[in-house]
Amino acid sequence: MKYVSVGKILNFHGIQGEAKVGFSKNQEDFIANLKEVFIKNGEKYSPLEIKSVRFNKKFALMKFKGIDSINDLMKYKGALLFIEETYIRENLEENEFLIDELTGLEAYDTEDNLLGVVVGVSNNGVNDFICVKTKNKKTSLVPFVDELVPEVKIKEKKVIINNIEGLLE
């Protein structure tokens, strides 16, 4: 079973064991519909049943079954929350994909010329980037935004890059 991180327990909220959870922006609907998450302990993933979710500013406030005080929650502070990858795949829209699926795709410019291969993805805390290794073996980070990466064709295993001057070496 493969797991994907969907958030992180940042701290407690109040004294009833409610968790302040950070998550990717614009994911409120997805987070609100979760019934359980998993906490990684060593190599083992343990489920936490979600009793309730509400939102406060940029955070989710989650109440878990069996966690009823600050002390119950503190051992989980800083823990990443995971869900099963299969759950995410079942809930993707037709044109949606997981960012790690970009690795290995061939990168083409808007005129369909091969530029290179996507060798990885990263995030600087604000933006996602795709790492493209060009035909001359140079590696460049390309911000994963619509203006620079207008199209991703997962089924065709290709990504289209608007190769503006200076973007790729």
Short mmCIF file of all heavy atoms in Angstrom, two decimals, residues 91-130:
data_model
loop_
_atom_site.label_atom_id
_atom_site.label_comp_id
_atom_site.label_asym_id
_atom_site.label_seq_id
_atom_site.Cartn_x
_atom_site.Cartn_y
_atom_site.Cartn_z
N ASN A 91 -10.62 9.54 -6.55
CA ASN A 91 -11.33 10.82 -6.46
C ASN A 91 -10.78 11.91 -7.39
O ASN A 91 -11.19 13.05 -7.30
CB ASN A 91 -11.31 11.31 -5.01
CG ASN A 91 -12.23 10.48 -4.14
OD1 ASN A 91 -13.44 10.62 -4.18
ND2 ASN A 91 -11.64 9.55 -3.38
N LEU A 92 -9.86 11.53 -8.29
CA LEU A 92 -9.34 12.51 -9.25
C LEU A 92 -10.36 12.76 -10.34
O LEU A 92 -11.05 11.86 -10.80
CB LEU A 92 -8.05 11.99 -9.89
CG LEU A 92 -6.80 11.94 -9.02
CD1 LEU A 92 -5.66 11.30 -9.80
CD2 LEU A 92 -6.40 13.30 -8.51
N GLU A 93 -10.44 14.02 -10.78
CA GLU A 93 -11.26 14.36 -11.94
C GLU A 93 -10.52 13.85 -13.19
O GLU A 93 -9.34 13.51 -13.13
CB GLU A 93 -11.43 15.88 -12.04
CG GLU A 93 -12.12 16.51 -10.85
CD GLU A 93 -13.59 16.15 -10.75
OE1 GLU A 93 -14.24 16.03 -11.80
OE2 GLU A 93 -14.08 15.99 -9.62
N GLU A 94 -11.20 13.86 -14.32
CA GLU A 94 -10.62 13.31 -15.54
C GLU A 94 -9.28 13.95 -15.91
O GLU A 94 -8.36 13.28 -16.33
CB GLU A 94 -11.60 13.45 -16.71
CG GLU A 94 -11.01 12.91 -17.99
CD GLU A 94 -12.04 12.32 -18.93
OE1 GLU A 94 -13.16 12.06 -18.49
OE2 GLU A 94 -11.69 12.13 -20.08
N ASN A 95 -9.15 15.26 -15.76
CA ASN A 95 -7.92 15.94 -16.17
C ASN A 95 -6.96 16.19 -15.00
O ASN A 95 -6.01 16.94 -15.13
CB ASN A 95 -8.25 17.26 -16.88
CG ASN A 95 -8.99 18.22 -15.96
OD1 ASN A 95 -9.48 17.82 -14.90
ND2 ASN A 95 -9.08 19.47 -16.35
N GLU A 96 -7.19 15.54 -13.86
CA GLU A 96 -6.31 15.71 -12.71
C GLU A 96 -5.34 14.54 -12.61
O GLU A 96 -5.59 13.46 -13.13
CB GLU A 96 -7.12 15.79 -11.41
CG GLU A 96 -7.91 17.07 -11.27
CD GLU A 96 -8.67 17.13 -9.95
OE1 GLU A 96 -9.24 16.10 -9.53
OE2 GLU A 96 -8.69 18.21 -9.35
N PHE A 97 -4.20 14.78 -11.93
CA PHE A 97 -3.18 13.77 -11.76
C PHE A 97 -2.40 14.08 -10.49
O PHE A 97 -2.52 15.18 -9.94
CB PHE A 97 -2.25 13.73 -12.98
CG PHE A 97 -1.67 15.07 -13.31
CD1 PHE A 97 -0.50 15.50 -12.71
CD2 PHE A 97 -2.30 15.92 -14.20
CE1 PHE A 97 0.03 16.75 -12.99
CE2 PHE A 97 -1.80 17.18 -14.48
CZ PHE A 97 -0.61 17.59 -13.87
N LEU A 98 -1.61 13.13 -10.05
CA LEU A 98 -0.72 13.36 -8.91
C LEU A 98 0.58 13.95 -9.43
O LEU A 98 1.09 13.52 -10.46
CB LEU A 98 -0.44 12.05 -8.16
CG LEU A 98 -1.65 11.38 -7.55
CD1 LEU A 98 -1.26 10.06 -6.89
CD2 LEU A 98 -2.31 12.28 -6.52
N ILE A 99 1.13 14.93 -8.71
CA ILE A 99 2.32 15.64 -9.19
C ILE A 99 3.49 14.68 -9.44
O ILE A 99 4.27 14.88 -10.36
CB ILE A 99 2.70 16.81 -8.26
CG1 ILE A 99 3.79 17.68 -8.89
CG2 ILE A 99 3.14 16.34 -6.90
CD1 ILE A 99 3.33 19.05 -9.22
N ASP A 100 3.59 13.61 -8.66
CA ASP A 100 4.72 12.70 -8.87
C ASP A 100 4.60 11.90 -10.17
O ASP A 100 5.56 11.30 -10.64
CB ASP A 100 4.94 11.77 -7.67
CG ASP A 100 3.79 10.81 -7.42
OD1 ASP A 100 2.75 10.90 -8.10
OD2 ASP A 100 3.93 9.96 -6.53
N GLU A 101 3.42 11.94 -10.81
CA GLU A 101 3.25 11.27 -12.10
C GLU A 101 3.96 12.02 -13.23
O GLU A 101 4.11 11.51 -14.33
CB GLU A 101 1.76 11.14 -12.45
CG GLU A 101 1.02 10.17 -11.58
CD GLU A 101 -0.44 10.06 -12.00
OE1 GLU A 101 -0.74 9.22 -12.85
OE2 GLU A 101 -1.27 10.82 -11.47
N LEU A 102 4.42 13.25 -12.97
CA LEU A 102 5.11 14.03 -13.99
C LEU A 102 6.52 13.50 -14.25
O LEU A 102 7.06 13.63 -15.35
CB LEU A 102 5.21 15.51 -13.57
CG LEU A 102 3.87 16.24 -13.44
CD1 LEU A 102 4.08 17.61 -12.83
CD2 LEU A 102 3.20 16.35 -14.79
N THR A 103 7.13 12.89 -13.22
CA THR A 103 8.48 12.35 -13.37
C THR A 103 8.50 11.27 -14.45
O THR A 103 7.69 10.36 -14.44
CB THR A 103 8.99 11.79 -12.03
OG1 THR A 103 8.96 12.83 -11.06
CG2 THR A 103 10.41 11.27 -12.15
N GLY A 104 9.43 11.42 -15.39
CA GLY A 104 9.55 10.46 -16.48
C GLY A 104 8.87 10.91 -17.77
O GLY A 104 9.09 10.32 -18.83
N LEU A 105 8.05 11.96 -17.70
CA LEU A 105 7.38 12.44 -18.91
C LEU A 105 8.39 13.18 -19.79
O LEU A 105 9.31 13.83 -19.29
CB LEU A 105 6.23 13.38 -18.57
CG LEU A 105 5.07 12.83 -17.74
CD1 LEU A 105 3.96 13.87 -17.65
CD2 LEU A 105 4.53 11.54 -18.31
N GLU A 106 8.19 13.10 -21.10
CA GLU A 106 9.03 13.87 -22.01
C GLU A 106 8.49 15.29 -22.07
O GLU A 106 7.28 15.52 -22.07
CB GLU A 106 9.03 13.23 -23.40
CG GLU A 106 9.77 11.91 -23.42
CD GLU A 106 9.89 11.31 -24.82
OE1 GLU A 106 8.99 11.54 -25.66
OE2 GLU A 106 10.91 10.62 -25.05
N ALA A 107 9.42 16.25 -22.15
CA ALA A 107 9.05 17.67 -22.21
C ALA A 107 9.22 18.18 -23.63
O ALA A 107 10.27 17.98 -24.25
CB ALA A 107 9.93 18.47 -21.25
N TYR A 108 8.15 18.79 -24.15
CA TYR A 108 8.15 19.35 -25.50
C TYR A 108 7.84 20.84 -25.43
O TYR A 108 7.15 21.29 -24.52
CB TYR A 108 7.08 18.67 -26.37
CG TYR A 108 7.40 17.24 -26.73
CD1 TYR A 108 7.08 16.21 -25.86
CD2 TYR A 108 8.00 16.95 -27.94
CE1 TYR A 108 7.37 14.88 -26.20
CE2 TYR A 108 8.29 15.62 -28.29
CZ TYR A 108 7.98 14.61 -27.41
OH TYR A 108 8.27 13.32 -27.73
N ASP A 109 8.33 21.60 -26.44
CA ASP A 109 7.94 23.00 -26.51
C ASP A 109 6.59 23.09 -27.23
O ASP A 109 6.02 22.07 -27.64
CB ASP A 109 9.03 23.86 -27.16
CG ASP A 109 9.26 23.54 -28.64
OD1 ASP A 109 8.43 22.83 -29.26
OD2 ASP A 109 10.29 23.99 -29.17
N THR A 110 6.09 24.29 -27.39
CA THR A 110 4.76 24.48 -27.98
C THR A 110 4.72 24.14 -29.47
O THR A 110 3.66 24.01 -30.05
CB THR A 110 4.27 25.93 -27.75
OG1 THR A 110 5.30 26.84 -28.19
CG2 THR A 110 3.96 26.19 -26.28
N GLU A 111 5.92 23.99 -30.10
CA GLU A 111 5.97 23.56 -31.51
C GLU A 111 6.21 22.06 -31.63
O GLU A 111 6.53 21.57 -32.70
CB GLU A 111 7.09 24.31 -32.26
CG GLU A 111 6.64 25.63 -32.86
CD GLU A 111 6.67 26.76 -31.85
OE1 GLU A 111 7.74 27.02 -31.29
OE2 GLU A 111 5.61 27.35 -31.60
N ASP A 112 6.10 21.33 -30.52
CA ASP A 112 6.25 19.87 -30.47
C ASP A 112 7.69 19.41 -30.70
O ASP A 112 7.93 18.32 -31.20
CB ASP A 112 5.29 19.18 -31.45
CG ASP A 112 4.83 17.81 -30.92
OD1 ASP A 112 4.76 17.66 -29.69
OD2 ASP A 112 4.60 16.91 -31.74
N ASN A 113 8.68 20.23 -30.34
CA ASN A 113 10.08 19.82 -30.38
C ASN A 113 10.46 19.27 -29.02
O ASN A 113 10.15 19.87 -27.99
CB ASN A 113 11.00 21.02 -30.70
CG ASN A 113 10.69 21.62 -32.05
OD1 ASN A 113 10.66 20.92 -33.05
ND2 ASN A 113 10.43 22.92 -32.07
N LEU A 114 11.14 18.13 -29.00
CA LEU A 114 11.56 17.52 -27.74
C LEU A 114 12.60 18.39 -27.05
O LEU A 114 13.62 18.74 -27.65
CB LEU A 114 12.13 16.11 -27.99
CG LEU A 114 12.60 15.35 -26.75
CD1 LEU A 114 11.44 15.04 -25.82
CD2 LEU A 114 13.30 14.06 -27.15
N LEU A 115 12.34 18.74 -25.79
CA LEU A 115 13.27 19.56 -25.00
C LEU A 115 14.09 18.71 -24.06
O LEU A 115 15.26 19.00 -23.79
CB LEU A 115 12.49 20.60 -24.17
CG LEU A 115 11.65 21.61 -24.94
CD1 LEU A 115 10.78 22.41 -23.99
CD2 LEU A 115 12.56 22.53 -25.75
N GLY A 116 13.48 17.67 -23.49
CA GLY A 116 14.16 16.84 -22.52
C GLY A 116 13.16 15.96 -21.78
O GLY A 116 12.09 15.68 -22.29
N VAL A 117 13.54 15.59 -20.55
CA VAL A 117 12.72 14.68 -19.75
C VAL A 117 12.55 15.27 -18.35
O VAL A 117 13.48 15.86 -17.79
CB VAL A 117 13.41 13.29 -19.64
CG1 VAL A 117 12.64 12.37 -18.71
CG2 VAL A 117 13.55 12.66 -21.00
N VAL A 118 11.35 15.11 -17.79
CA VAL A 118 11.11 15.54 -16.41
C VAL A 118 11.76 14.49 -15.50
O VAL A 118 11.39 13.32 -15.52
CB VAL A 118 9.59 15.65 -16.11
CG1 VAL A 118 9.37 16.04 -14.65
CG2 VAL A 118 8.94 16.67 -17.04
N VAL A 119 12.76 14.93 -14.71
CA VAL A 119 13.49 13.98 -13.85
C VAL A 119 13.07 14.09 -12.39
O VAL A 119 13.49 13.30 -11.56
CB VAL A 119 15.02 14.16 -13.98
CG1 VAL A 119 15.47 13.75 -15.37
CG2 VAL A 119 15.46 15.58 -13.66
N GLY A 120 12.20 15.06 -12.08
CA GLY A 120 11.74 15.17 -10.70
C GLY A 120 10.79 16.34 -10.53
O GLY A 120 10.59 17.14 -11.44
N VAL A 121 10.21 16.42 -9.35
CA VAL A 121 9.35 17.53 -8.97
C VAL A 121 9.78 17.99 -7.58
O VAL A 121 10.30 17.21 -6.79
CB VAL A 121 7.85 17.16 -8.97
CG1 VAL A 121 7.35 16.89 -10.37
CG2 VAL A 121 7.57 15.98 -8.08
N SER A 122 9.59 19.27 -7.32
CA SER A 122 9.94 19.79 -6.00
C SER A 122 9.00 20.93 -5.65
O SER A 122 8.21 21.39 -6.48
CB SER A 122 11.41 20.27 -5.97
OG SER A 122 11.60 21.34 -6.86
N ASN A 123 9.11 21.38 -4.43
CA ASN A 123 8.27 22.47 -3.94
C ASN A 123 9.10 23.30 -2.99
O ASN A 123 9.80 22.76 -2.13
CB ASN A 123 7.04 21.90 -3.22
CG ASN A 123 6.09 22.99 -2.77
OD1 ASN A 123 6.43 23.77 -1.88
ND2 ASN A 123 4.93 23.05 -3.36
N ASN A 124 9.05 24.62 -3.16
CA ASN A 124 9.82 25.51 -2.29
C ASN A 124 8.98 26.07 -1.15
O ASN A 124 9.35 27.03 -0.50
CB ASN A 124 10.47 26.65 -3.08
CG ASN A 124 9.45 27.61 -3.66
OD1 ASN A 124 8.25 27.46 -3.47
ND2 ASN A 124 9.93 28.62 -4.37
N GLY A 125 7.82 25.46 -0.91
CA GLY A 125 6.91 25.94 0.12
C GLY A 125 5.83 26.85 -0.44
O GLY A 125 4.81 27.06 0.17
N VAL A 126 6.07 27.40 -1.63
CA VAL A 126 5.11 28.28 -2.28
C VAL A 126 4.64 27.70 -3.60
O VAL A 126 3.46 27.63 -3.89
CB VAL A 126 5.71 29.69 -2.50
CG1 VAL A 126 4.73 30.61 -3.21
CG2 VAL A 126 6.16 30.30 -1.19
N ASN A 127 5.61 27.27 -4.43
CA ASN A 127 5.30 26.78 -5.77
C ASN A 127 5.84 25.37 -5.99
O ASN A 127 6.84 24.99 -5.39
CB ASN A 127 5.95 27.68 -6.83
CG ASN A 127 5.36 29.06 -6.85
OD1 ASN A 127 4.16 29.23 -6.81
ND2 ASN A 127 6.21 30.07 -6.91
N ASP A 128 5.18 24.65 -6.90
CA ASP A 128 5.71 23.38 -7.38
C ASP A 128 6.61 23.68 -8.58
O ASP A 128 6.35 24.62 -9.34
CB ASP A 128 4.57 22.45 -7.83
CG ASP A 128 3.77 21.91 -6.66
OD1 ASP A 128 4.39 21.54 -5.65
OD2 ASP A 128 2.53 21.88 -6.76
N PHE A 129 7.65 22.87 -8.74
CA PHE A 129 8.57 22.99 -9.86
C PHE A 129 8.73 21.62 -10.49
O PHE A 129 8.69 20.61 -9.80
CB PHE A 129 9.97 23.45 -9.40
CG PHE A 129 10.01 24.85 -8.90
CD1 PHE A 129 9.74 25.13 -7.57
CD2 PHE A 129 10.33 25.90 -9.74
CE1 PHE A 129 9.77 26.43 -7.09
CE2 PHE A 129 10.37 27.20 -9.28
CZ PHE A 129 10.09 27.47 -7.95
N ILE A 130 8.92 21.61 -11.82
CA ILE A 130 9.34 20.37 -12.46
C ILE A 130 10.81 20.55 -12.82
O ILE A 130 11.24 21.63 -13.22
CB ILE A 130 8.47 19.98 -13.67
CG1 ILE A 130 8.44 21.07 -14.73
CG2 ILE A 130 7.08 19.60 -13.24
CD1 ILE A 130 7.70 20.67 -16.01
#
